[in-house]
Amino acid sequence: MKKFAACLVGAAFIALATAPTLAETPQDTLVMAWQFDDITTLDPAEIFELSGAEYGAQVYDRLISYDVEDVSKIEPRIAESWTVSDDGKTYTFKIRDGMKFHSGNPVTAEDAAYSLQRAVKLNKTPVFILTQFGFTPENVDEKVRATDPNTLVIETDKAYAPTFVLYCLTSSIAAVVDSKLLKEHEKDGDFGYGWLRTNSAGSGPFKLRQWKASELMMLDANPDYWQGAPKLNRVIIRHIAEPATQRLLLEQGDIDVARDLQPEQFEPLRANDAIDIVESPKGTLWYFGLNQKNEILAKPEVRQAMRYVVDYDGIRQTIMNGQGTVHQAFLPKGFLGAVTDKPFSYDPEKAKQLLTEAGYPDGFTVTMDVRNTSPTMDMAQAIQAGAAKAGIKIEIIPGDGKQTLTKYRARNHDIYIGQWGPDYQDPHTNAETFASNPDNADDGATKTLAWRNAWEIPELTEKTAAAVLERDAEKRAETYQELQRAVMEDSPFTIMFQETEVIAERAGVDGLIWGPSFDANYYWKASKN
């Protein structure tokens, strides 16, 4: 059977997991298998997961973006041009004429201002990306404003490095939402938040048709997209947790793209003329964090010991095998000031020595929260085995992405293992989260990774804040190098790998853009032949 009836586009795809065999996917539809159980919300003011950021890139436009081939080039999107005042504190954006939201409402400077104001007032997890410029719920209407339908003015509290400000406006939280539509769905002054968590209000190349958490996402093409209508009418993303199932469906032609295959599956697929393997270097890091509320994990010698229980090269060669390179600093390779030192290697005897110095010659027992997908679980089990040789017993607590993230964000973990992807392409994005914690209280407003792990660091926080005011790129780079080495030497973070995303596509698929971050993966140029 080579053709699908139109009705198969919807409900029949939900049944794919139980069907023994299926024919080719519809010619006008891209079908993707992907582990996206980490999505907790569809509201760009709250999105702070890798999968959620990728969703947002399909449905929303941002004021500006960057060239995925050369991230040093900042490009116009909703804003067709911008200027920076002589004092470095006022940014004026000219909004492109003729753009429309999926609802048909025009995209205006008022929508852009409302989007940023709304994000600050909602005060969700990623809000620090905006509030670091001095915006508060009380002053944001004054500091971020539309002076006419085509002009947006943003005033920062200090003269930051201009590229830092602009890169922040390429992040997911800076997506422009349909203010008129959200006001229609507002309840009790929530800015439409209750509605937008499961709906969409964008102007991007696709609009949300359906989302079932940890199951299915369907996106319909926006025929009026300002950069040109997508070539495909629909994208269907299915949460398929098992890599073996993804491979089977790909080889059968039941899906067009598999996102989570294991390394041992790549070589056989390379020999299959019907499959193309695509490698996309990412700025995403694999790391684990130690909660400093745990008095054992808070000891400097224990933090140091944990760096020596990881078999970096062994995991790279086996579990990662092409999906990542050893990297031990918080800035990914390619960022301004990135450090490529690798001072740590697997050494359980050294770890034992450090544990003895800490007062734990017989080791200790802790838990590790792990997303129950590959390669996270495999990596955690390898670390568990390595730690056991140093006398550390790690009890793995598996869960789906939402469960483990929720617990981590509440600071209720011992050890959390996962990924961290930059929110924008300036080094401050990772410096702020790994080396800054302005308020370590449980209700602290800035919930960085340092905060999540209860790491109180006033001196590093001050140094991180100062780095964004330095306009000399060379001096900025030196500061970030110092910060990275300080975190490598003594912090609750063991940073292990920088990711290379490996994607398997059916040979007829063309035009998918796999960028340097997950919010720079784009579907709208995809085609099938």
Side-chain angles (χ1 to χ4, degrees):
M1 180 177 178
K2 293 292 184 181
K3 297 182 179 179
F4 272 62
C7 63
L8 288 180
V9 172
F13 272 97
I14 302 174
L16 274 173
T18 57
T21 59
L22 286 176
E24 296 173 356
T25 59
Q27 191 63 28
D28 68 347
T29 301
L30 182 77
V31 184
M32 182 186 301
W34 190 27
Q35 299 167 353
F36 63 88
D37 60 320
D38 59 328
I39 295 180
T40 60
T41 179
L42 301 183
D43 189 332
E46 188 177 26
I47 287 172
F48 209 46
E49 302 81 36
L50 299 180
S51 302
E54 183 166 322
Y55 154 81
Q58 320 315 315
V59 173
Y60 293 93
D61 273 312
R62 286 156 274 188
L63 279 172
I64 53 179
S65 188
Y66 55 85
D67 184 340
V68 296
E69 299 294 334
D70 182 356
V71 300
S72 68
K73 297 178 180 177
I74 297 175
E75 297 181 333
R77 284 293 184 269
I78 286 178
E80 62 182 359
S81 64
W82 56 90
T83 58
V84 183
S85 62
D86 291 341
D87 68 0
K89 296 167 67 174
T90 301
Y91 295 73
T92 303
F93 298 86
K94 287 297 179 182
I95 304 302
R96 192 180 301 276
D97 280 322
M99 289 186 65
K100 291 183 178 181
F101 289 107
H102 302 151
S103 66
N105 294 328
V107 178
T108 68
E110 284 92 346
D111 293 296
Y114 172 86
S115 301
L116 298 175
Q117 294 164 358
R118 173 182 184 270
V120 171
K121 293 173 183 178
L122 283 175
N123 195 34
K124 299 302 178 182
T125 302
V127 72
F128 66 88
I129 298 171
L130 300 176
T131 55
Q132 62 190 337
F133 300 119
F135 306 140
T136 67
E138 293 73 29
N139 72 14
V140 69
D141 289 352
E142 175 189 351
K143 298 297 184 181
V144 179
R145 62 190 184 275
T147 56
D148 62 54
N150 291 94
T151 306
L152 173 72
V153 176
I154 298 176
E155 293 183 14
T156 61
D157 59 340
K158 299 175 184 177
Y160 299 94
T163 52
F164 167 53
V165 177
L166 294 173
Y167 277 126
C168 285
L169 294 176
T170 71
S171 65
S172 297
I173 198 171
V176 177
V177 299
D178 186 337
S179 62
K180 184 177 180 181
L181 181 63
L182 285 184
K183 288 173 183 177
E184 292 173 1
H185 289 279
E186 185 171 324
K187 290 186 178 180
D188 300 321
D190 74 344
F191 301 97
Y193 168 73
W195 180 81
L196 197 57
R197 294 189 81 245
T198 55
N199 291 278
S200 68
S203 61
F206 290 94
K207 50 189 173 182
L208 180 68
R209 179 185 180 92
Q210 184 181 14
W211 174 51
K212 292 187 176 182
S214 301
E215 185 177 337
L216 177 75
M217 179 174 286
M218 299 176 67
L219 307 174
D220 286 345
N222 173 13
D224 300 318
Y225 186 51
W226 68 278
Q227 292 194 88
K231 296 179 181 179
L232 298 175
N233 291 333
R234 181 165 295 162
V235 174
I236 297 176
I237 307 173
R238 299 176 51 215
H239 175 69
I240 305 291
E242 292 297 326
T245 305
Q246 289 195 19
R247 176 184 173 181
L248 178 63
L249 293 173
L250 183 70
E251 290 180 313
Q252 290 178 167
D254 295 330
I255 61 173
D256 301 303
V257 181
R259 297 286 295 278
D260 303 288
L261 300 184
Q262 293 182 323
E264 63 268 20
Q265 297 171 319
F266 297 141
E267 290 311 313
L269 289 176
R270 291 183 199 278
N272 186 337
D273 292 338
I275 309 295
D276 291 330
I277 302 296
V278 181
E279 296 183 356
S280 173
K282 289 284 191 286
T284 312
L285 303 175
W286 287 97
Y287 78 101
F288 61 81
L290 313 176
N291 193 340
Q292 299 301 280
K293 289 187 174 184
N294 182 314
E295 63 179 17
I296 298 174
L297 299 177
K299 290 185 176 292
E301 298 88 352
V302 173
R303 296 197 296 250
Q304 190 81 345
M306 295 301 294
R307 291 166 171 72
Y308 291 101
V309 302
V310 181
D311 186 358
Y312 302 91
D313 288 330
I315 295 173
R316 176 188 60 81
Q317 293 169 7
T318 55
I319 295 169
M320 303 303 284
N321 191 18
Q323 293 181 300
T325 57
V326 176
H327 190 81
Q328 297 177 348
F330 67 65
L331 281 183
K333 185 178 179 181
F335 272 61
L336 175 71
V339 167
T340 56
D341 303 353
K342 294 189 276 285
F344 307 107
S345 58
Y346 181 50
D347 191 342
E349 291 303 317
K350 185 171 182 61
K352 282 183 182 179
Q353 177 187 338
L354 288 163
L355 294 179
T356 299
E357 293 173 9
Y360 302 102
D362 299 321
F364 53 85
T365 298
V366 288
T367 61
M368 177 183 280
D369 289 285
V370 183
R371 184 182 177 190
N372 193 17
T373 55
S374 176
T376 315
M377 180 59 75
D378 306 307
M379 199 180 302
Q381 290 170 342
I383 295 168
Q384 180 187 51
K389 293 184 178 179
I392 302 170
K393 182 180 180 182
I394 297 177
E395 297 178 359
I396 290 176
I397 302 176
D400 67 22
K402 296 187 296 296
Q403 291 171 327
T404 56
L405 274 172
T406 299
K407 186 175 179 181
Y408 186 36
R409 288 172 175 169
R411 310 208 293 186
N412 289 331
H413 63 294
D414 282 341
I415 304 176
Y416 172 86
I417 182 171
Q419 295 167 281
W420 179 262
D423 295 304
Y424 45 90
Q425 297 297 308
D426 185 271
H428 187 69
T429 181
N430 278 18
E432 182 176 40
T433 203
F434 284 97
S436 177
N437 183 8
D439 182 358
N440 196 41
D442 284 341
D443 60 351
T446 305
K447 296 176 172 59
T448 64
L449 292 187
W451 176 88
R452 288 188 198 176
N453 290 282
W455 190 36
E456 196 160 10
I457 40 171
E459 291 183 5
L460 288 182
T461 298
E462 183 178 348
K463 191 168 186 175
T464 298
V468 296
L469 301 176
E470 177 55 67
R471 295 194 169 198
D472 185 304
E474 186 174 337
K475 291 180 180 178
R476 275 194 88 199
E478 290 174 358
T479 301
Y480 290 120
Q481 288 166 359
E482 292 169 4
L483 287 168
Q484 287 168 92
R485 291 193 170 102
V487 170
M488 290 167 77
E489 179 62 27
D490 182 23
S491 79
F493 302 111
T494 296
I495 299 166
M496 302 175 288
F497 306 102
Q498 182 170 340
E499 180 179 8
T500 297
E501 186 182 15
V502 183
I503 306 106
E505 304 174 352
R506 296 289 298 181
V509 175
D510 189 37
L512 285 166
I513 297 172
W514 305 109
S517 64
F518 284 85
D519 65 356
N521 288 343
Y522 299 108
Y523 312 156
W524 71 279
K525 289 187 176 181
S527 62
K528 292 167 65 174
N529 49 50

